[in-house]
Amino acid sequence: MSSEPCFDIAHLAHVELLTDKPAESLDFFVNVYGLTESGREGDSVFLRAWDDYEFHTLKLTAAKTTGIGHVAYRATSEQALRRRVEAIEAMGCGIGWVDGDLGHGRAYRFRDPDDHVFEIYFDTNKYVAPPHERPALKNQPQRNHGRGCAVRRLDHLNLLARDVAAIRDFLPKALGSRVTEQIVLDSGEVGGCWFTVNNKSYDIAYTRDHTGSLGRFHHVTYAVDQREHVLEAADIFLENGVYIETGPHKHAVQQTFFLYVYEPAGNRVEIANAGARLILDPDWQTVTWTEEERKKGQAWGLKTIESFHTHGTPPVPAAGH
Amino acid sequence: MSSEPCFDIAHLAHVELLTDKPAESLDFFVNVYGLTESGREGDSVFLRAWDDYEFHTLKLTAAKTTGIGHVAYRATSEQALRRRVEAIEAMGCGIGWVDGDLGHGRAYRFRDPDDHVFEIYFDTNKYVAPPHERPALKNQPQRNHGRGCAVRRLDHLNLLARDVAAIRDFLPKALGSRVTEQIVLDSGEVGGCWFTVNNKSYDIAYTRDHTGSLGRFHHVTYAVDQREHVLEAADIFLENGVYIETGPHKHAVQQTFFLYVYEPAGNRVEIANAGARLILDPDWQTVTWTEEERKKGQAWGLKTIESFHTHGTPPVPAAGH
Amino acid sequence: MSSEPCFDIAHLAHVELLTDKPAESLDFFVNVYGLTESGREGDSVFLRAWDDYEFHTLKLTAAKTTGIGHVAYRATSEQALRRRVEAIEAMGCGIGWVDGDLGHGRAYRFRDPDDHVFEIYFDTNKYVAPPHERPALKNQPQRNHGRGCAVRRLDHLNLLARDVAAIRDFLPKALGSRVTEQIVLDSGEVGGCWFTVNNKSYDIAYTRDHTGSLGRFHHVTYAVDQREHVLEAADIFLENGVYIETGPHKHAVQQTFFLYVYEPAGNRVEIANAGARLILDPDWQTVTWTEEERKKGQAWGLKTIESFHTHGTPPVPAAGH
Amino acid sequence: MSSEPCFDIAHLAHVELLTDKPAESLDFFVNVYGLTESGREGDSVFLRAWDDYEFHTLKLTAAKTTGIGHVAYRATSEQALRRRVEAIEAMGCGIGWVDGDLGHGRAYRFRDPDDHVFEIYFDTNKYVAPPHERPALKNQPQRNHGRGCAVRRLDHLNLLARDVAAIRDFLPKALGSRVTEQIVLDSGEVGGCWFTVNNKSYDIAYTRDHTGSLGRFHHVTYAVDQREHVLEAADIFLENGVYIETGPHKHAVQQTFFLYVYEPAGNRVEIANAGARLILDPDWQTVTWTEEERKKGQAWGLKTIESFHTHGTPPVPAAGH
């Protein structure tokens, strides 16, 4: 008899990103990337895409450096949240409850093995559009103004870790995540690992941090509806002088149609389209890519740009890149 | 404290469609719509789209008439299947276990209040591509030959019912489905109802059968990756002499980008793209459309074509067309 | 031996549109349709799309009514202009020279048989982008801000005429236009006629004015790069409360992918994509559509909306609509 | 007073490509690239895209090597052809008249300064679709079967030359071509030059042959309607094991959205989309790119792949690549 999948966590909810150029970063996220400000508190601005149903999906916080503040997932119910907290406390990596902020109620915080801070919560603040943000169609939380890249919703993030295999053990236990794809190097080390808690093919990925640092950030991604929107975004970045690192092209892993840029403070940001791809199979078998297979580059042959393996935030002083 | 959502059913798995023109229907589904034959048994041909992970998603059965044979959902585990069977038996609408076919193991059958036959199962036959169907990328079940409309995967189906409100009560109890959107007429009757068991915004819809008949079929839909593929499909249907009923256009309800045609035997078939839209919210509140709102037509103003309200299969002899 | 085609006229250059709601029309053309203001003079605002090479392609003039002010074509040289003026004067429909405006030098004006005013000129004012409008790529006249529909360039216009057959004789003589497609009714009357002076499949079309009025306007069209941009425009119009008359859909005639709306003063405006279609053949044979063929509706079966045959500007007081 | 542009040549008409793997090349062009065979004669197969109006646009000829056989342009009339022949004969590079083939009548042949063979003609064989190739819409020469990449029409070709500046002088005199864009290196040498005889932004390009060879071929390009079709083509090439050299990406020069592959014999073939871009200006000023500007790579930052500067056909034995 099959073991039962865990459905305690509903979805990736928001990401807190740190910036040491808060004004420039905010201008990028609002006017070029196309997010909407939904509130401010302390050093943070709360941002959202037009199809995000919660108050915010990006918390942009002014700081002395860049990188990730915390990652948040929403539970499927209060009971499910309680089950996860019990499991995480038993794993010995819990931090404890925090009060929440403009975007949601109390949340439970913990650390992954690479020292990134996560939180889980159920009680949330759903977005209610003010009059000038009311959409023409009532099954959409907010009007799409078509400003800049006009990204639709938070899709996933990518963190760096010294030991991706440890994360591969950790996330299924902590969140009930499934490992949909992974890269296993000839040495046996895990080069990258893609996880999901729902029907998306991934909501978080981890790749190896070659610098040996802890707690670093690789990129955050919002989804657009069509591949053509990714192409249009490339022109928008070009016209706005945003540094385009690589793309548009199609990843072999997960087949995502990607475009990577750096926001003004140096955090990597992606725009992506996954077409109609979903993981519907409840007993999906992890797809494992070998080192040999990954040498072919991306789906259509693009060689992976060197900085994709080295650039993370915050920067590592002596990392030679 | 919130009640807990049910995750016993993983996804819509396949649809059995009846045809009284089996050769013409098969030619349409393979050469124009772009499905692949994966096997034959008795009067049935098993068909699949290139990204379907199971053996088949469409069972095309030669019969004296048209319409739906049965609808199948896959459970998330054996335990989940058992829970659903117990619930359905308690509801008094069970038929009993059947042996399964080329596509899956034993399944439990039951009837909805409008006399459509459903089955649920867990034990399945996952597709293993023969050499000429092996894809270039290993995270895809089958090669995409780009034949005809080259649809990607089964998306949803739409059934007709005399009493949609009864279905609105039934499916959440039987399958744990959520009602994501509905149309409630001024009379209080439910004009249409959209359900999902997972993160798709719907996997089955019911709309009112004005003829008073039971057990009829409205349409089945496969998804393509991009709206442009729906436009290309329109040209393919045009060149192949397929009757285009309406579209391409965007539905207001669910915002699906749609195109409806009739296959040679008269069953309505849709090609659709939903962009990046997903229902991630675990406590999504049903969106209710009023009669007044629906009078505006589709999203961009197209008036709903009359036959969309009247044409179903099998045809109704005295239905006043 | 074949007769030689005429190359005296290079392209459709601009359209002067009248509006009795100048502020609302200007807001529509700039913020929703996505044109850029390049200057003002008297009661007129000069507007341009980001890939138009001349100063303007739309002259929006405040007036007591709506409809067309004049239509302008640019000649291929001064000599070619002189040849055309001679030909037109010999045809007896000339008005005479005018001084030009912010957009170009002196121009010769004449009337078509339906009393629409045309002008032809060679001496022009090419657009020089101010710093904030400078594009990232130097082979493009202006930056694309992605504002609203962000249309690329003027494509064509459509005028109404009591006697389209008379126009079919007139334009080839006056401008050297070729008739690429036409509709000939069973009565022998010409229902519509599509003309071009270059490799575009048409730059002006005339369709029958059933009201018997003279000098009326049907629509003006700007091109976008991709069909997806037409779909995006539909959402932008929806969110901005712009009246969508019909589309998006594909015309059978000329195969244009179209979307028609009314700007606030009531003039019909189109957004269109023609894909890679060009008329390269120097001895192209006119394609003639019969009344029977046109009864099939548009390419994918959409029935032509009634107002498309009746709505023109300025409105006709007693025209029954 | 401006000088008058020349309109004697209507358009690029066809390209003869040599292959030393005729069966494999033919399979590629028909089943993967999506051309249709319209006839055979001697060692040649005549191929066409579904929107080409002439009998063929590609003549694929079995030979001992690869590269270009000849390039053909169609004149706008018999008189225009005669004028061009006189001009070319006066330039001293004429070869003389040939009889034509299945695709067209007698043609006049000449050589460019790099020893490529050209021909010009007016008398042509327009394609008449046999019953199984008749399109649903009568304004289209042939049915689009959607086979493989289903390219729409011949767009342009790119030849290599030792001295591109010499070609820049030659083509305007021989064909009346205009130079729309060019790359001028710091040394003063012309690195590349793009020419057109009509409203397309280019129909032929020349880039420097660093091997010092004569008469070599860089690539031939067919157009598709939408950028999405270029992306789809990338997947089709991937599934069919075709070598993808670079792309999809957007060129800075001419802004073409490109994808380059090698057909089985090694000739480079492109699929491209130019959106709605046209050169309408009769006195267009050549856009000149500097060496510095070209160092930025393609429009969105992709570095030009090394083989793009070195691979041409036929291969050069001692060229070190």
Side-chain angles (χ1 to χ4, degrees), chain C residues 14-230:
Chain C
H14 57 263
V15 170
E16 184 186 24
L17 211 56
L18 308 181
T19 171
D20 53 6
K21 296 183 179 173
E24 293 91 328
S25 293
L26 181 60
D27 178 65
F28 167 84
F29 280 113
V30 171
N31 294 314
V32 181
Y33 204 54
L35 299 181
T36 301
E37 180 179 332
S38 46
R40 295 193 183 205
E41 194 176 48
D43 290 329
S44 299
V45 180
F46 294 78
L47 297 163
R48 48 175 287 99
W50 57 268
D51 195 31
D52 288 326
Y53 79 90
E54 292 182 281
F55 183 73
H56 76 294
T57 48
L58 183 68
K59 185 175 181 176
L60 185 66
T61 299
K64 291 195 176 158
T65 186
T66 50
I68 188 85
H70 73 278
V71 180
Y73 279 80
R74 189 167 177 230
T76 53
S77 68
E78 286 291 356
Q79 298 94 313
L81 174 60
R82 206 166 45 203
R83 283 192 295 271
R84 285 301 100 210
V85 171
E86 281 168 20
I88 292 163
E89 289 190 334
M91 292 165 72
C93 58
I95 298 176
W97 291 93
V98 294
D99 274 347
D101 55 22
L102 289 181
H104 57 89
R106 70 173 201 147
Y108 184 82
R109 293 207 162 185
F110 61 97
R111 285 180 206 283
D112 76 11
D114 204 76
D115 223 26
H116 302 94
V117 175
F118 281 68
E119 70 182 16
I120 51 177
Y121 65 91
F122 177 71
D123 181 26
T124 193
N125 177 11
K126 295 196 188 181
Y127 182 70
V128 179
H132 64 286
E133 294 291 358
R134 267 185 213 141
L137 297 175
K138 66 196 294 185
N139 49 5
Q140 180 176 314
Q142 183 190 342
R143 182 170 167 175
N144 175 7
H145 292 275
R147 188 179 58 247
C149 302
V151 292
R152 179 170 194 145
R153 61 163 171 74
L154 176 61
D155 192 83
H156 68 269
L157 84 159
N158 189 145
L159 298 176
L160 293 168
R162 283 200 292 203
D163 181 358
V164 180
I167 304 291
R168 188 181 57 182
D169 291 339
F170 177 80
L171 277 186
K173 287 180 196 154
L175 298 180
S177 303
R178 295 187 285 163
V179 180
T180 53
E181 304 197 18
Q182 65 179 344
I183 299 168
V184 177
L185 306 178
D186 294 347
S187 64
E189 285 175 296
V190 180
C193 203
W194 285 257
F195 304 86
T196 187
V197 296
N198 54 32
N199 294 132
K200 284 178 40 46
S201 59
Y202 59 118
D203 50 42
I204 195 165
Y206 278 78
T207 43
R208 265 186 89 199
D209 195 329
H210 297 86
T211 65
S213 304
L214 286 177
R216 294 213 303 156
F217 169 81
H218 194 267
H219 69 264
V220 65
T221 304
Y222 279 70
V224 287
D225 270 353
Q226 308 291 323
R227 296 203 288 200
E228 178 61 30
H229 302 187
V230 178

Side-chain angles (χ1 to χ4, degrees), chain A residues 27-313:
Chain A
D27 178 64
F28 167 84
F29 281 114
V30 171
N31 294 314
V32 181
Y33 204 54
L35 300 181
T36 300
E37 180 179 332
S38 46
R40 295 191 182 207
E41 192 175 49
D43 290 328
S44 300
V45 181
F46 295 77
L47 297 163
R48 51 176 284 100
W50 58 266
D51 195 32
D52 289 325
Y53 78 89
E54 292 182 280
F55 183 72
H56 76 294
T57 48
L58 183 68
K59 184 176 182 177
L60 185 66
T61 299
K64 291 197 176 158
T65 185
T66 50
I68 187 86
H70 73 277
V71 179
Y73 278 80
R74 188 167 178 229
T76 51
S77 68
E78 287 290 356
Q79 299 94 313
L81 174 61
R82 205 167 47 204
R83 285 191 295 269
R84 284 301 100 209
V85 172
E86 282 168 18
I88 291 164
E89 289 189 334
M91 292 164 72
C93 58
I95 298 175
W97 291 94
V98 294
D99 274 348
D101 55 21
L102 289 182
H104 57 89
R106 71 174 200 147
Y108 184 81
R109 292 206 162 188
F110 61 96
R111 285 181 205 282
D112 76 12
D114 204 76
D115 222 26
H116 301 95
V117 175
F118 280 68
E119 69 181 18
I120 50 178
Y121 65 91
F122 176 70
D123 180 24
T124 194
N125 177 9
K126 297 196 188 182
Y127 182 70
V128 178
H132 64 286
E133 295 291 357
R134 266 184 214 142
L137 297 175
K138 67 195 291 186
N139 49 5
Q140 179 177 315
Q142 183 190 341
R143 182 170 166 175
N144 175 7
H145 292 274
R147 189 179 58 247
C149 303
V151 292
R152 178 169 194 146
R153 60 164 170 73
L154 176 62
D155 191 84
H156 68 270
L157 84 160
N158 189 145
L159 297 176
L160 292 168
R162 284 200 294 203
D163 181 358
V164 180
I167 305 291
R168 188 181 56 182
D169 291 341
F170 178 80
L171 277 185
K173 287 180 197 155
L175 298 180
S177 304
R178 295 188 286 163
V179 180
T180 53
E181 303 197 20
Q182 63 178 346
I183 298 168
V184 177
L185 305 178
D186 294 349
S187 65
E189 285 175 297
V190 179
C193 203
W194 285 257
F195 304 88
T196 187
V197 296
N198 54 32
N199 295 131
K200 284 178 39 46
S201 59
Y202 60 119
D203 50 42
I204 195 165
Y206 279 78
T207 44
R208 265 187 87 200
D209 194 329
H210 297 86
T211 65
S213 304
L214 286 176
R216 293 213 303 154
F217 169 80
H218 195 268
H219 70 262
V220 65
T221 304
Y222 279 72
V224 287
D225 270 351
Q226 308 291 323
R227 297 203 287 200
E228 178 61 30
H229 300 187
V230 178
L231 302 181
E232 292 169 38
D235 277 333
I236 290 168
F237 291 136
L238 176 67
E239 288 289 24
N240 284 280
V242 173
Y243 176 71
I244 299 175
E245 185 187 36
T246 186
H249 202 88
K250 178 177 172 171
H251 279 303
V253 177
Q254 300 286 2
Q255 302 199 19
T256 312
F257 190 68
F258 66 83
L259 173 63
Y260 294 97
V261 302
Y262 297 170
E263 57 88 28
N267 293 300
R268 186 187 281 104
V269 176
E270 184 189 17
I271 284 189
N273 177 260
R277 189 170 192 245
L278 292 173
I279 302 293
L280 298 172
D281 185 356
D283 51 355
W284 170 268
Q285 300 304 302
T286 302
V287 173
T288 300
W289 300 83
T290 66
E291 200 168 328
E292 180 68 22
E293 287 168 338
R294 293 304 308 120
K295 279 184 184 154
K296 291 184 189 169
Q298 301 305 329
W300 301 322
L302 182 72
K303 294 306 165 200
T304 306
I305 198 166
E306 177 61 18
S307 61
F308 201 72
H309 295 302
T310 57
H311 179 82
T313 48

Side-chain angles (χ1 to χ4, degrees), chain A residues 2 4 74 83 126 138-140 153 198-199 225-227 252 255 273 276 281 283 288 293, chain B residues 2 4 74 79 83 126 138-140 153 198-199 225-227 252 255 273 276 281 283 288 293:
Chain A
S2 63
E4 292 217 59
R74 188 167 178 229
R83 285 191 295 269
K126 297 196 188 182
K138 67 195 291 186
N139 49 5
Q140 179 177 315
R153 60 164 170 73
N198 54 32
N199 295 131
D225 270 351
Q226 308 291 323
R227 297 203 287 200
Q255 302 199 19
N273 177 260
D281 185 356
D283 51 355
T288 300
E293 287 168 338
Chain B
S2 63
E4 292 216 57
R74 188 167 178 230
Q79 299 92 315
R83 285 192 295 270
K126 295 196 188 181
K138 66 196 290 185
N139 49 4
Q140 179 177 314
R153 60 164 171 73
N198 54 32
N199 294 132
D225 270 353
Q226 309 291 322
R227 296 203 287 199
Q255 301 199 18
N273 178 260
D281 185 355
D283 52 355
T288 300
E293 287 168 339

